[in-house]
């Protein structure tokens, strides 16, 4: 196991250095999730996945904004130190944690994970890791939000003990990244350009804050540019996010159906209503643009690939066996 993880680190290095050309399944994804298993808790906590699904369905009934929050939490967890629940750790006197870093300033959903964890500790003390709870909760969120099916999530992720704000800033792509930088960022996690475009479809649900527009509503590109923002939509965004004065607290990320996990994000992109520069930039490269068009035209095609890409993202740099622990409380190490 130890040798395997050393190999994996070497693989990941290779993968990042040939980042831009890596289009297919990465070596990382193929070789580096040894130890994760389907129905991992079948013996140790047979109701684990059912408890999460049941509780979460209730929470989401009360608050339709939750699926987006929990989906984003999983992404931020996996891109910093792998999917090891490092995103859930609180800062301590001597350490500023990921959740208190700039790009994470608007992360939410922590208290929901804590509630799920409390229920699981009651059912099976010390068994279900926080990292697995985040992965299952993200999966059930996508189902509840309308993906159409539950993709199969393997279990066995262990929780890490380190969380650094500086690593969140280094590893999470900001909304100003162009398509090349986005591809490189995902490649450094063993994810392809195809995965990047597919996972960006998560922006079909949820809400943003005005700074994430990076001023796009004020300085438009000419209509012929792929980065052009629809004029009427830009005017609407200027009203919601003015230069000075009161801005809205919630900016819908999908212009059409911000509560439904469908392919409308891609339709919006084609209509030049992509919210962030990092969304619009998917139209600036021919192969990513073609994929956007294909997804815009076929919800089922996107939904199938989205589940597969989520599984892949959920296996980035996971810790298994003795590489981590099962935390009692998700916000601090045991
Ligand atoms: C491609 C690179 C990505 C960039 C640059 C990016 C950037 C952002 C930004 C800037 C926000 C809004 C933050 C705010 O203003 O409060 C956001 C929200 C969100 N992101 Fe991403 N993101 C990316 C990929 C992903 C991925 C891979 C997922 C999940 C699979 C994801 C899921 C979400 C969700 C669901 C929200 C809404 C959260 C809420 O409603 O609270 N994003 N993202
Ligand atoms: C993308 O951004 C990177 C980093 O800022 C820059 O070096 C590169 O030239 C940009 N590429 C394009 C096509 O704009
Ligand atoms: C972590 O921080 C949250 C929010 O400030 C707080 O509610 C929670 O109790 C903290 N966790 C621990 C273990 O102190
Ligand atoms: C509250 C907070 O710090 N928000 C920041 C989140 O990250 C973006 C950049 O990705 C900043 O623009 C926000 O100010």
């Amino acid at each position: 196991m130890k040798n395997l993880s050393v190999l994996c680190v070497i693989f990941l290095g290779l993968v990042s250095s040939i980042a831009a050309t890596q289009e297919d399944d990465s070596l990382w994804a193929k070789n580096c999730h040894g130890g994760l298993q389907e129905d991992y808790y079948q013996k140790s906590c047979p109701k684990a996945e059912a408890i999460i699904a049941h509780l979460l369905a209730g929470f989401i009934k009360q608050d339709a904004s939750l699926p987006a929050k929990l989906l984003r939490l999983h992404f931020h967890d996996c891109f910093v130190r792998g999917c090891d629940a490092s995103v859930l750790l609180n800062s301590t006197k001597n350490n500023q944690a990921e959740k208190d870093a700039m790009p994470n300033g608007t992360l939410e959903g922590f208290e929901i994970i804590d509630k799920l964890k409390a229920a699981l500790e009651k059912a099976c003390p010390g068994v279900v890791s926080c990292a697995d709870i985040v992965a299952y909760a993200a999966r059930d969120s996508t189902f509840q939000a309308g993906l159409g099916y539950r993709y199969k999530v393997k279990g066995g992720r262990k929780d890490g003990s380190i969380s650094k704000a500086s690593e969140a800033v280094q590893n999470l792509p900001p909304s100003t990244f162009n398509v090349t930088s986005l591809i490189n960022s995902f490649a450094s996690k063993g994810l392809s350009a195809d995965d990047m475009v597919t996972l960006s479809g998560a922006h079909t649900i949820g809400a943003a804050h005005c700074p994430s527009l990076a001023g796009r509503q004020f300085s438009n590109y000419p209509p012929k540019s792929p980065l052009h923002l629809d004029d009427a939509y830009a005017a609407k965004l200027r009203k919601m996010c003015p230069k000075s004065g009161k801005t809205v607290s919630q900016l819908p990320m999908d212009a059409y159906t911000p509560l439904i996990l469908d392919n409308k994000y891609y339709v919006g992109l084609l209509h030049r209503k992509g919210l962030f520069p990092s969304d619009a930039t998917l139209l600036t490269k021919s192969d990513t643009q073609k994929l956007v068009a294909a997804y815009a035209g076929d919800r089922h095609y996107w939904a199938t690939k989205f589940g597969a890409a989520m599984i892949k993202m959920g296996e980035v740099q996971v810790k298994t066996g003795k590489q981590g622990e099962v935390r009692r409380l998700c916000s601090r190490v045991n």
Side-chain angles (χ1 to χ4, degrees), residues 12 28 75-87 89 98 158-168 171 189 316-319 327:
L12 192 65
W28 176 266
F75 166 53
H76 281 225
D77 186 28
C78 295
F79 265 54
V80 189
R81 285 190 172 264
C83 318
D84 69 344
S86 54
V87 70
L89 289 173
E98 287 169 33
K158 290 291 166 61
D159 300 326
S161 56
I162 298 170
S163 177
K164 291 183 186 298
S166 57
E167 293 183 352
N171 288 279
K189 307 296 165 188
V316 168
Q317 280 174 295
V318 293
K319 299 174 173 67
R327 281 181 218 143

Side-chain angles (χ1 to χ4, degrees), residues 4 21-22 35 43 84 104 126-127 132 147 187 220 235 251 277:
L4 182 65
T21 55
Q22 189 82 24
K43 289 215 177 83
D84 69 344
N104 282 341
V127 171
D132 277 347
L147 183 64
N220 211 347
L251 195 55

Side-chain angles (χ1 to χ4, degrees), residues 72 76 99-107 172-176 209-214:
R72 186 171 183 228
H76 281 225
K99 62 162 68 153
D100 294 321
M102 273 288 277
N104 282 341
T106 57
L107 276 186
L172 291 163
S175 66
T176 49
H209 297 77
C210 293
S212 299
L213 294 177

Side-chain angles (χ1 to χ4, degrees), residues 10-28 180 183-193:
I10 296 169
F11 275 134
L12 192 65
L14 276 175
V15 166
S16 6
S17 57
I18 50 172
T21 55
Q22 189 82 24
E23 293 287 326
D24 58 349
D25 282 2
S26 69
L27 294 167
W28 176 266
T180 313
I183 288 172
N184 290 339
S185 163
F186 277 63
S188 74
K189 307 296 165 188
L191 299 168
S192 67

Side-chain angles (χ1 to χ4, degrees), residues 115-265:
K115 282 181 187 166
L116 298 175
K117 176 64 173 173
L120 290 165
E121 284 299 297
K122 217 167 161 191
C124 336
V127 171
V128 185
S129 71
C130 297
D132 277 347
I133 295 173
V134 172
Y136 291 133
R139 186 269 312 275
D140 289 336
S141 291
T142 65
F143 176 72
Q144 293 289 339
L147 183 64
Y149 68 103
R150 275 193 169 84
Y151 57 85
K152 192 87 196 159
V153 173
K154 289 181 182 170
R157 296 167 192 75
K158 290 291 166 61
D159 300 326
S161 56
I162 298 170
S163 177
K164 291 183 186 298
S166 57
E167 293 183 352
V169 176
Q170 282 159 22
N171 288 279
L172 291 163
S175 66
T176 49
F177 265 18
N178 63 30
V179 71
T180 313
S181 302
L182 289 175
I183 288 172
N184 290 339
S185 163
F186 277 63
S188 74
K189 307 296 165 188
L191 299 168
S192 67
D194 191 298
D195 294 327
M196 187 275 289
V197 176
T198 310
L199 290 167
S200 291
H203 288 176
T204 186
I205 53 170
H209 297 77
C210 293
S212 299
L213 294 177
R216 179 165 151 72
Q217 71 275 39
F218 303 120
S219 55
N220 211 347
Y221 286 80
K224 278 214 173 112
S225 164
L227 294 172
H228 177 72
L229 185 59
D230 174 83
D231 285 317
Y233 199 57
K236 202 173 148 184
L237 291 175
R238 282 194 296 274
K239 269 207 184 121
M240 291 194 275
C241 301
K243 251 187 194 125
S244 58
K246 206 171 150 50
T247 59
V248 293
S249 56
Q250 300 268 300
L251 195 55
M253 305 220 308
D254 175 321
Y256 306 108
T257 53
L259 290 175
I260 304 175
L261 197 75
D262 55 15
N263 62 338
K264 290 282 165 49
Y265 163 82

